[in-house]
Amino acid sequence: QVQLVESGGGLVQAGGSLGLSCAASGRTVTNYHMAWFRQAPGKEREFVAAISRSGGSTYYSDSVKGRDTISRDNAKNTVYLQMNNLKPEDTAVYYCAASNTIAVVSIASRYGYWGQGTQVTVSS
């Protein structure tokens, strides 16, 4: 099993930047593909970005492509999400997730481990 704890959320003005971190404990994070999802009030949880076990492949939703960067430091058992040019519609609770599927996926139900989430609020 792996335990995930997100940090770095907060309040930022539109156009600003914010960096999220996800610290893993338990099994080493190298066993898992990692991803960030987000959920806004009244909406379903949606895929934001994912990164393969080695960090060699990354995937982004169309809504954040070109603005966000997912990365990982396997030596530190940590995954990051750097968010730039933030928009009010990026406001949500952001969750870190881990998957031991063969391929990297963007489907929330394929991720078996989740953090508690961190709030990101973007003001206009």
Side-chain angles (χ1 to χ4, degrees):
Q1 276 196 337
V2 62
Q3 292 78 42
L4 305 172
V5 178
E6 303 95 336
S7 61
L11 174 64
V12 64
Q13 288 189 336
S17 298
L18 207 58
L20 305 182
S21 297
C22 172
S25 60
R27 293 193 70 187
T28 176
V29 73
T30 54
N31 289 296
Y32 302 94
H33 301 309
M34 301 296 294
W36 289 92
F37 288 79
R38 67 187 183 187
Q39 187 166 19
K43 294 187 176 182
E44 293 187 354
R45 192 167 297 189
E46 66 169 343
F47 170 77
V48 176
I51 188 167
S52 61
R53 291 182 178 88
S54 67
S57 298
T58 56
Y59 307 85
Y60 298 93
S61 67
D62 289 341
S63 60
V64 307
K65 194 174 295 182
R67 299 189 296 125
D68 290 6
T69 302
I70 188 171
S71 61
R72 65 192 296 164
D73 185 338
N74 287 340
K76 295 183 178 180
N77 253 11
T78 303
V79 179
Y80 307 94
L81 183 69
Q82 178 63 38
M83 304 182 291
N84 299 320
N85 191 22
L86 283 160
K87 305 174 181 179
E89 52 264 42
D90 293 318
T91 295
V93 177
Y94 282 70
Y95 297 91
C96 176
S99 169
N100 59 5
T101 52
I102 295 174
V104 179
V105 294
S106 61
I107 303 170
S109 61
R110 302 301 302 275
Y111 286 80
Y113 303 98
W114 294 83
Q116 82 289 348
T118 185
Q119 177 70 46
V120 171
T121 302
V122 184
S123 63
S124 57

